[in-house]
């Protein structure tokens, strides 16, 4: 189970790094691509960002750097993974008990 939680945390870290790269690479430019601001505004206001990176909800109120948001997002994913894996183990063990009875 510890390995699975590590995978959950790694996925949370990867998601936060992908969002940081998207906002960094598609950030302000010298007017070469005028639609970049519209794309960032759209991505920042869709439900996709708060669902995949819950730390973004804190970023609306507090200044969070990309490396702290990556660490916090990894911790949030690890906590979510703990809940999911605990439920998965409970369901799996109850299925095994039903088969043997």
């Amino acid at each position: 189970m510890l390995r699975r939680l590590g995978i959950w945390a790694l996925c949370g870290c990867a998601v936060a790094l992908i969002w940081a790269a998207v906002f960094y690479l598609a950030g302000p430019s010298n007017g070469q691509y005028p639609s970049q601001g519209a794309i960032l505004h759209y991505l920042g206001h869709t439900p996709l960002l708060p669902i995949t990176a819950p730390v973004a909800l804190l970023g609306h109120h507090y200044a969070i750097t990309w490396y702290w948001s990556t660490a916090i997002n990894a911790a949030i994913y690890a906590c979510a993974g703990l809940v999911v894996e605990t439920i998965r183990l409970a369901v799996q063990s109850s299925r095994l008990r039903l088969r043997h009875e």
Side-chain angles (χ1 to χ4, degrees), residues 47-87:
L48 183 64
L49 180 62
I51 289 172
T52 58
V55 73
L57 296 174
L58 290 174
H60 290 296
H61 304 291
Y62 303 104
I64 300 175
T65 58
W66 66 270
Y67 46 87
W68 275 112
S69 68
T70 303
I72 294 169
N73 205 47
I76 290 171
Y77 268 63
C79 291
L82 180 64
V83 170
V84 169
E85 294 299 326
T86 303
I87 292 170

Side-chain angles (χ1 to χ4, degrees), residues 22-44:
V22 164
F23 282 115
Y24 179 74
L25 294 176
S29 65
N30 296 332
Q32 297 171 349
Y33 303 105
S35 64
Q36 282 181 342
I39 292 172
L40 287 178
H41 181 68
Y42 173 74
L43 286 175

